[in-house]
Amino acid sequence: MSESIVQEKINSVLALFSKGNLEETLDLTSQLTIDHPNEPILFNIQGACYAGLTNYKEAIKSYEMAIAINPNYAKAYFNLAGTLHEMEKLEASVKAYKMALKIEPENEAALNNLGNVYQDLKEHHKAIDCYKKATSIKHDYVEAHYSAGLVFQDLGQLDSMISHIKKVLTIKPDFVEAHNNLGIAFKRNGQLDDAILSYKNALLIQPNNIEVHNNLGNVYKEKGLIDEAINSYKAALKINPNLPLLNINLGNALKELDLLDDAMASYEKAINIDSNNAEAYNNLGTVLENLGKLNTSQIYYKKAIALNSNFAEAYNNLGTNLEQQGKLKDAQINYEKAILINPGLANA
């Protein structure tokens, strides 16, 4: 069979694959690999189909067949590495990406993905090195700049993280996750006004992003702007009222304004959504205690501890509750438990 006819068949397979018709492509490649067993690209496409269908074992077999036919097939190594990463076979994935890069040292996608594997291996400095190489090849490589920023965030190097995320946003200004993560970094860095601006920028692009509304509420609360915090939490709850964390955060803000009945209602709603939420029980206990209902609040602290035996704040709260009732020995026991779990808990 002429080379042009073989190429024509390969092109038809690639066209079918590019349309996302994986099963049809797989059927066709299975036949063609019988007729043309020395065409590595067919096995590579076959592997990509299997990977897309999450049949990773067969995908690996196909990629390995492609590499056996052509040991310098960088794309097959690249795809093999990606599949191994999906399977959480991280060391094997690293080896495969390194083989792809040995053949194509300037492959920025392979460098970026190798950085992602190193990130999962917690080898942060190797990951950063890969991202730097990737962005030196492709200066506007958004994914590599963004991933580098996240690694610096994990390392607590917030200034470097902020620098990378700002670079991302000069390339892709509508990247909502980047605006959100920039806000998180600014908050951790104590730059609360900058954090607020970042979250607002994210919401201009995606007004219904619950996480951003919640993060914005948290910053407002930290700044003491409780009314604004309440509005942010309510905006998030309007989108999805069935999230325990948001109801707890709203309850905490309402409690700051001494709106104890409203706070109690928020905590109760969180418990109705998730009956195993220790934080909601603990916080409800604090409201009841503020209302002078010591015996009832004690029940909720104990429930929180039953759900989370390492909940230092709940032990401390139970201690103060018991102390107010004159049960000093029992209070002491709970304070000591709180300190054992968290020696830095100053109140305890």
Side-chain angles (χ1 to χ4, degrees), residues 42-265:
L42 292 173
F43 288 99
N44 185 52
I45 297 167
Q46 187 181 65
C49 290
Y50 279 127
L53 295 167
T54 67
N55 188 343
Y56 297 133
K57 288 185 179 179
E58 290 301 322
I60 287 172
K61 288 180 185 178
S62 296
Y63 295 138
E64 288 177 341
M65 183 65 73
I67 291 164
I69 298 166
N70 179 6
N72 292 315
Y73 196 175
K75 184 64 175 176
Y77 279 113
F78 178 89
N79 289 344
L80 173 61
T83 299
L84 290 165
H85 193 185
E86 287 287 340
M87 297 176 73
E88 298 184 358
K89 295 186 176 182
L90 302 183
E91 297 291 352
S93 179
V94 168
K95 288 180 182 178
Y97 277 128
K98 283 184 174 180
M99 286 301 299
L101 288 163
K102 186 176 180 181
I103 301 161
E104 294 181 351
E106 299 292 295
N107 187 326
E108 71 275 6
L111 284 163
N112 177 69
N113 292 3
L114 177 56
N116 294 341
V117 181
Y118 278 133
Q119 192 172 354
D120 287 348
L121 285 166
K122 307 300 181 188
E123 297 185 38
H124 298 303
H125 294 291
K126 287 183 180 179
I128 289 168
D129 186 53
C130 288
Y131 298 136
K132 283 182 178 178
K133 287 177 181 176
T135 54
S136 70
I137 296 164
K138 184 180 178 183
H139 300 300
D140 61 349
Y141 198 169
V142 168
E143 292 83 357
H145 283 294
Y146 184 65
S147 297
L150 296 183
V151 175
F152 281 120
Q153 185 179 38
D154 288 344
L155 291 170
Q157 297 178 22
L158 297 180
D159 290 336
S160 295
M161 186 266 191
I162 288 167
S163 174
H164 277 275
I165 301 300
K166 282 183 175 179
K167 176 69 175 177
V168 168
L169 290 170
T170 62
I171 302 165
K172 190 177 180 183
D174 62 346
F175 193 167
V176 173
E177 290 81 3
H179 285 291
N180 184 50
N181 276 295
L182 186 58
I184 291 169
F186 279 136
K187 181 179 182 292
R188 287 178 60 186
N189 221 24
Q191 298 170 251
L192 300 186
D193 290 332
D194 290 325
I196 288 170
L197 181 60
S198 293
Y199 293 136
K200 284 184 174 180
N201 286 335
L203 290 171
L204 286 173
I205 302 161
Q206 201 174 85
N208 289 329
N209 191 304
I210 291 172
E211 181 183 355
V212 178
H213 279 295
N214 181 58
N215 289 346
L216 179 57
N218 291 341
V219 178
Y220 278 137
K221 186 171 180 292
E222 190 168 329
K223 276 182 68 74
L225 301 171
I226 307 303
D227 287 328
E228 287 87 342
I230 288 170
N231 289 337
S232 292
Y233 296 137
K234 284 183 175 179
L237 286 165
K238 189 175 180 180
I239 301 162
N240 185 349
N242 296 315
L243 295 173
L245 175 62
L246 280 168
N247 283 286
I248 290 169
N249 286 348
L250 177 59
N252 294 344
L254 291 164
K255 186 184 168 192
E256 290 272 337
L257 295 179
D258 287 326
L259 298 172
L260 300 184
D261 289 335
D262 291 335
M264 187 160 53

Side-chain angles (χ1 to χ4, degrees), residues 254-255 257-265 267-268 282-298 300-301 321 324:
L254 291 164
K255 186 184 168 192
L257 295 179
D258 287 326
L259 298 172
L260 300 184
D261 289 335
D262 291 335
M264 187 160 53
Y267 297 140
E268 286 173 342
N282 176 66
N283 292 8
L284 181 54
T286 63
V287 171
L288 290 164
E289 187 169 313
N290 287 347
L291 290 168
K293 299 178 181 180
L294 296 181
N295 289 329
T296 309
S297 66
Q298 184 181 136
Y300 287 101
Y301 294 141
N321 179 289
Q324 289 179 75

